[in-house]
Amino acid sequence: MEDKQTYLEQLNGQQKEAVLYNDGPSLVVAGAGSGKTRVLTNKIVYLLEQGMPPYSILALTFTNKAAREMKNRIAALTDEQAAKWLWMGTFHSIFYRILRYESEAVGYPHDFTIYDTADTKSLIRSIVKELQLDDKVYRPGLIQGRISNAKNALITSRAYEHNREYGQYDEKLHIPLFGEIYRRYQERCFQAGAMDFDELLMQTNLLFRDHPDVLEKYQSKFLFVLVDEYQDTNFAQHLIVTRLCEKRRRICVVGDDAQSIYSFRGANIDNMLRFKDNYPECRIFKLEQNYRSTQNIVNAANSLINKNRGQIHKTVYSHNEPGSKIGVQPAQSDYEEGHMIASQIASTHRREQCAYADFAVLYRTNAQSRVIEDALRSRGIAYKIYGSQSFYQRKEVKDVIAYFRMVVNPHDGEALRRIINFPARGIGDTTVGRLFAAASIHRVSAWTVLCSPAEYNLPVNAGTLRRLDDFGHMMQELIDENGKQSAVDMAKLVVNRSGIMTEFFQDRTLENINRQENLQEVLKAIVEFSHNRREEGVEQVSLTDFLVEISLITDQDQDASEHADKVMLMTVHAAKGLEFDHVIISGMEENLFPSLMSADEQRAIEEERRLCYVAITRARKSCTITYAKSRFRNGKTSPCTPSRFLKDIDPQFLDLPEKQVFMPPAARDARYERIVINGSYSAQNMRKIHEYPHLSRIQASDNRQEENIQTLCGLSVGDSICHNRFGKGKILSFEGSGADAKAIILFDHLGKKSLLLKYAQLTKN
């Protein structure tokens, strides 16, 4: 715990200046590892010391984890009550809070539901099916992404449908009915009393635009606004913050333009680069001392990012030890690269007696993880893929949560769709389809139809009506109980009356045991949540409160630190905000990192370069970059060239390998593949072999099969060789003869292998 009296003394000069200036707008440009969280935290503490009421301070973050950490630090430096009354949280959680207060103005129920990505895609699928469209053309992921982009640009479904240019663009993309899907999606969400994450931002903007009295209330309420990771804000977030600050202009934004890597989510780096244009009187503070990494890592990252044109210039430095240079290690193939990485982790683990959890392997795309996983498993090295399915996305957990959602908001269509026949109660897909079709025709929620099927002419038989009625009565009883009981008691009541408990505990199969454990974990989470809230002074904790908490968890809120000692595998995007002693960046090749999709656009290349900068600056002690000379992609092995970003880094900070001779072009020639794979040694093929001298190792013709193949190959025990997948090695011995001759080879990263010479693609070093 930091001393309350000396917290300012613990800041460096740059940090202290940023904390003490609060007379107008300020931009804090925080280099990687420069202590930006400490600045934000101490700035809030300083504002409280100056007499500013905690409820008048608005602090916006991108993750719940960041908000929690800051609140805990503030509580340690002031008192828990002050921290409790701060308006501090993620953009979505704060705007959700405002929209609940102003629900009447926006026309949504007070306890509206929040749809996650799975809910959104499920609703889109049902609309696509309803319109009898091809779901391979109107893919849910594509439609969801386009709806998200429209909302972040504050384009409503009505505005979209009335814009001819948008329609023409959709025609080019072969999705001419996108506007219709967007409109129906919005209508269904409204009928269900639900908003997705993007709708929270759009509705807040519409609230402030259409209700100036409400805007004025919050402008008067918030005396100071602070925003973390400002480089990651999108247009909607930027506009809300601008509106809130347009009168007082007391705002502090913190971020690093060099770490702006989320344009695919709508983030706009110009919000930060042009901050001074919006606030000409703003003061700019630069946090340039890196406390995380060695000098070599910092200097290498600087030399890389300096190649970008669009940036706020700063010179990040480190007073830590110089450290080792960044290692650059080529591999013959992605297969060898995976084993090379596993070998390095194993040797460093033994040599330095460090934990496996100190290592992170970063990659540009998720598909790269497979060969790395295989290599780690082959050595018995435990690993965890960061960013894999979270607890609250598991099927049985989502089923239980859907019941809770229905109890809180019975008009939640996606929750109803999920639980109406779980556990199985004889209500099939046909009936569910008719239920939602009737709801769509009459423009009401599916729950409304279920409660009065005759009124809406629901076309089902008497038996089905009885089953629907039984389900409706059960849910209505639970709905009536909600509000009378605590969150914990209500959750237990739901799992018992719904039949979930019986369903999960009917046998002890491995699958059901996992479900039982996950169900118990949900109930445990509600108990812990309620206990924490009570400790914070909230006496009555409802199921709604718990649903809000878990609904606002983002994919950036996962905790990379586990008690288990495991190597962390993750994309570079997922690694932002994390740090590790040892970082290995794999696949540093053209058309992979940078991505092929960014190759022809300067702005996109600059973002890829920033992504590379983020990767390097995750490392505290050591950083290694690997690349493969060939990679198996799209069903075939293709040649690769090192990434341009390797050339962007000043070589004085790199530990470069000896000059490598790339595989001869013939080894990548389709004709060569036919010769080797088909095993055809005709006179015609022999002429082709002579065109490529490095292939002289192959058996020349059928009538020479009994000759000693190693002689034909020109290989001897002790020779250093190279294999186009396994990399470099040394021949230990030969065994067998003729067509069965084998070489026993000790490879640098894969250990000992026995290869049949007539198929082994070996070249002598």
Side-chain angles (χ1 to χ4, degrees):
M1 183 183 295
E2 294 174 291
D3 190 324
K4 293 183 183 183
Q5 304 302 318
T6 61
Y7 74 94
L8 288 175
E9 296 171 14
Q10 296 175 17
L11 304 175
N12 66 33
Q14 298 165 318
Q15 293 171 333
K16 191 172 181 179
E17 282 185 38
V19 166
L20 295 179
Y21 178 77
N22 296 300
D23 296 331
S26 61
L27 168 63
V28 181
V29 184
S34 63
K36 71 176 178 62
T37 303
R38 171 169 282 194
V39 167
L40 271 175
T41 302
N42 290 348
K43 194 175 188 74
I44 293 170
V45 172
Y46 184 73
L47 290 170
L48 293 171
E49 280 187 351
Q50 300 309 299
M52 192 171 288
Y55 52 78
S56 68
I57 297 173
L58 172 63
L60 297 166
T61 67
F62 272 86
T63 67
N64 295 297
K65 180 184 174 186
R68 281 194 302 270
E69 287 178 357
M70 288 171 62
K71 267 194 176 181
N72 290 339
R73 291 194 198 183
I74 291 165
L77 290 169
T78 55
D79 62 76
E80 290 187 9
Q81 284 302 310
K84 174 186 170 183
W85 287 104
L86 291 167
W87 276 66
M88 176 181 285
T90 63
F91 282 89
H92 294 101
S93 65
I94 293 293
F95 300 153
Y96 170 84
R97 189 173 167 186
I98 290 173
L99 290 170
R100 278 192 75 182
Y101 284 137
E102 312 298 339
S103 58
E104 190 175 330
V106 295
Y108 275 79
H110 177 71
D111 288 333
F112 63 84
T113 303
I114 300 173
Y115 276 0
D116 64 13
T117 303
D119 297 319
T120 296
K121 288 183 177 178
S122 174
L123 179 53
I124 289 169
R125 283 191 197 95
S126 64
I127 294 170
V128 168
K129 185 176 181 181
E130 177 184 299
L131 292 171
Q132 298 183 329
L133 300 173
D134 186 349
D135 60 4
K136 292 183 176 61
V137 177
Y138 290 87
R139 302 190 312 276
L142 170 68
I143 302 302
Q144 189 268 338
R146 287 185 60 73
I147 290 174
S148 176
N149 290 338
K151 289 185 177 185
N152 285 329
L154 303 182
I155 303 167
T156 64
S157 57
R158 180 176 296 180
Y160 196 99
E161 279 199 299
H162 286 84
N163 188 302
R164 198 166 69 178
E165 287 184 17
Y166 297 150
Q168 290 172 344
Y169 185 65
D170 290 340
E171 291 275 359
K172 288 181 181 177
L173 293 179
H174 307 294
I175 50 171
L177 290 178
F178 169 77
E180 169 74 3
I181 296 172
Y182 183 15
R183 179 179 61 77
R184 291 195 182 202
Y185 173 80
Q186 285 296 88
E187 287 175 354
R188 299 292 170 77
C189 286
F190 187 76
Q191 290 159 11
M195 293 189 200
D196 59 29
F197 271 39
D198 300 307
E199 190 72 17
L200 291 172
L201 301 182
M202 188 157 80
Q203 286 296 332
T204 306
N205 269 295
L206 295 175
L207 173 68
F208 289 163
R209 185 196 71 183
D210 300 339
H211 300 273
D213 56 323
V214 176
L215 174 59
E216 168 108 30
K217 178 171 77 173
Y218 288 99
Q219 285 175 335
S220 300
K221 178 180 180 61
F222 298 129
L223 303 179
F224 208 102
V225 177
L226 303 98
V227 186
D228 191 17
E229 303 284 11
Y230 198 67
Q231 77 281 352
D232 292 335
T233 54
N234 59 31
F235 175 66
Q237 291 161 333
H238 166 74
L239 189 57
I240 293 170
V241 171
T242 301
R243 281 179 166 149
L244 286 172
C245 298
E246 58 190 5
K247 284 191 176 180
R248 298 183 186 278
R249 300 177 76 79
R250 298 189 75 184
I251 177 175
C252 173
V253 301
V254 181
D256 184 4
D257 55 293
Q259 297 187 66
S260 179
I261 58 174
Y262 294 123
S263 65
F264 66 95
R265 291 181 179 171
N268 187 351
I269 189 175
D270 291 337
N271 292 342
M272 186 164 181
L273 297 181
R274 296 177 184 170
F275 185 79
K276 194 165 178 60
D277 296 341
N278 295 325
Y279 300 93
E281 75 276 29
C282 86
R283 288 275 303 275
I284 297 178
F285 301 94
K286 297 180 181 180
L287 308 184
E288 297 175 305
Q289 183 174 353
N290 180 301
Y291 290 93
R292 175 191 302 156
S293 308
T294 63
Q295 293 177 27
N296 265 308
I297 290 171
V298 170
N299 292 337
N302 282 346
S303 67
L304 169 74
I305 204 63
N306 283 342
K307 305 301 187 297
N308 271 10
R309 296 176 189 170
Q311 63 173 302
I312 300 170
H313 183 74
K314 60 185 178 297
T315 304
V316 181
Y317 62 92
S318 171
H319 287 326
N320 296 337
E321 62 183 12
S324 57
K325 295 183 177 182
I326 291 181
V328 179
Q329 297 184 10
Q332 287 298 125
S333 66
D334 52 343
Y335 184 87
E336 190 201 8
E337 182 187 40
H339 284 273
M340 184 169 73
I341 289 169
S343 174
Q344 177 175 327
I345 290 171
S347 61
T348 306
H349 172 70
R350 282 194 308 270
R351 185 176 64 252
E352 299 187 10
Q353 295 294 296
C354 54
Y356 283 126
D358 293 334
F359 294 86
V361 183
L362 311 183
Y363 33 79
R364 181 64 182 83
T365 66
N366 280 305
Q368 291 170 250
S369 76
R370 202 266 309 161
V371 290
I372 299 169
E373 290 182 67
D374 288 349
L376 291 172
R377 276 198 302 270
S378 72
R379 288 178 175 266
I381 298 174
Y383 66 89
K384 172 180 170 59
I385 298 181
Y386 181 69
S388 57
Q389 188 180 48
S390 71
F391 176 77
Y392 289 107
Q393 292 300 317
R394 295 170 188 169
K395 181 189 179 301
E396 59 271 21
V397 175
K398 286 184 73 68
D399 290 338
V400 175
I401 298 299
Y403 269 100
F404 297 164
R405 283 167 46 180
M406 270 291 288
V407 167
V408 169
N409 173 17
H411 299 287
D412 184 339
E414 291 312 301
L416 174 61
R417 190 191 300 275
R418 190 169 193 103
I419 67 171
I420 194 169
N421 198 40
F422 174 79
R425 47 179 62 92
I427 302 173
D429 290 344
T430 302
T431 300
V432 174
R434 288 173 180 170
L435 182 69
F436 277 86
S440 177
I441 291 167
H442 294 282
R443 296 182 178 273
V444 295
S445 71
W447 173 253
T448 302
V449 176
L450 189 145
C451 292
S452 305
E455 184 180 341
Y456 295 99
N457 300 314
L458 185 64
V460 294
N461 60 37
T464 301
L465 269 178
R466 187 178 62 255
R467 288 189 286 272
L468 288 173
D469 189 55
D470 289 345
F471 172 74
H473 272 97
M474 178 197 72
M475 289 307 305
Q476 189 61 58
E477 287 176 1
L478 291 171
I479 291 164
D480 293 341
E481 284 293 321
N482 189 39
K484 299 177 185 177
Q485 303 198 41
S486 68
V488 174
D489 291 337
M490 194 64 219
K492 290 177 180 177
L493 186 65
V494 169
V495 297
N496 280 300
R497 285 200 189 171
S498 64
I500 294 174
M501 188 70 79
T502 305
E503 175 78 9
F504 286 176
F505 284 80
Q506 62 183 335
D507 59 53
R508 296 289 291 171
T509 61
L510 182 60
E511 184 180 15
N512 259 5
I513 289 171
N514 287 333
R515 288 175 175 175
Q516 293 161 20
E517 290 172 349
N518 286 335
L519 175 59
Q520 295 297 341
E521 197 63 29
V522 172
L523 297 176
K524 178 185 171 186
I526 298 174
V527 171
E528 290 176 352
F529 172 77
S530 300
H531 178 72
N532 292 339
R533 281 298 173 93
R534 279 195 294 272
E535 284 189 332
E536 294 170 2
V538 180
E539 290 295 330
Q540 299 297 323
V541 182
S542 69
L543 208 52
T544 301
D545 297 325
F546 175 71
L547 289 175
V548 170
E549 179 79 3
I550 63 170
S551 295
L552 293 169
I553 294 171
T554 73
D555 60 354
Q556 299 176 62
D557 273 311
Q558 293 188 72
D559 189 356
S561 60
E562 276 199 352
H563 295 300
D565 187 19
K566 297 179 180 180
V567 175
M568 299 300 298
L569 308 185
M570 65 188 79
T571 64
V572 183
H573 280 103
K576 186 173 176 291
L578 305 177
E579 54 186 69
F580 302 88
D581 282 354
H582 308 286
V583 169
I584 300 171
I585 308 167
S586 63
M588 190 61 74
E589 299 140 28
E590 282 296 301
N591 298 330
L592 182 57
F593 200 174
S595 162
L596 176 63
M597 293 185 291
S598 66
D600 300 323
E601 189 183 338
Q602 179 66 27
R603 190 177 176 93
I605 282 292
E606 294 208 348
E607 176 153 337
E608 290 284 310
R609 191 177 284 113
R610 292 195 294 270
L611 192 59
C612 186
Y613 175 86
V614 166
I616 293 171
T617 55
R618 299 311 92 201
R620 297 189 193 103
K621 295 180 179 178
S622 77
C623 180
T624 303
I625 296 174
T626 67
Y627 64 87
K629 297 177 182 178
S630 66
R631 187 169 293 275
F632 191 82
R633 300 175 78 181
N634 302 319
K636 63 179 182 179
T637 299
S638 303
C640 305
T641 56
S643 168
R644 70 189 75 185
F645 297 152
L646 287 172
K647 298 175 185 176
D648 287 343
I649 302 173
D650 190 323
Q652 68 174 307
F653 305 121
L654 298 177
D655 183 8
L656 292 164
E658 294 179 9
K659 188 174 181 181
Q660 298 292 318
V661 179
F662 281 83
M663 254 194 310
R668 303 189 293 264
D669 193 293
R671 290 173 297 171
Y672 156 72
E673 291 183 7
R674 285 197 297 273
I675 296 167
V676 174
I677 293 171
N678 295 337
S680 173
Y681 306 120
S682 64
Q684 181 183 6
N685 279 341
M686 280 306 300
R687 284 196 297 275
K688 292 176 183 175
I689 290 172
H690 285 300
E691 294 173 19
Y692 310 114
H694 76 290
L695 298 181
S696 62
R697 65 187 182 277
I698 297 177
Q699 191 171 353
S701 64
D702 292 340
N703 61 7
R704 297 176 62 187
Q705 283 193 10
E706 295 306 317
E707 292 191 39
N708 192 314
I709 289 189
Q710 61 259 41
T711 302
L712 287 175
C713 295
L715 299 173
S716 305
V717 171
D719 281 351
S720 295
I721 55 86
C722 188
H723 186 278
N724 70 349
R725 283 187 69 224
F726 305 148
K728 293 179 181 178
K730 186 176 183 179
I731 296 178
L732 299 180
S733 62
F734 294 100
E735 62 182 38
S737 61
D740 297 323
K742 295 179 180 179
I744 314 303
I745 304 168
L746 180 63
F747 287 99
D748 291 354
H749 303 295
L750 284 85
K752 194 184 296 185
K753 280 189 174 291
S754 175
L755 301 180
L756 203 61
L757 279 171
K758 69 177 179 180
Y759 296 127
Q761 300 169 22
L762 305 176
T763 43
K764 199 170 176 181
N765 279 352

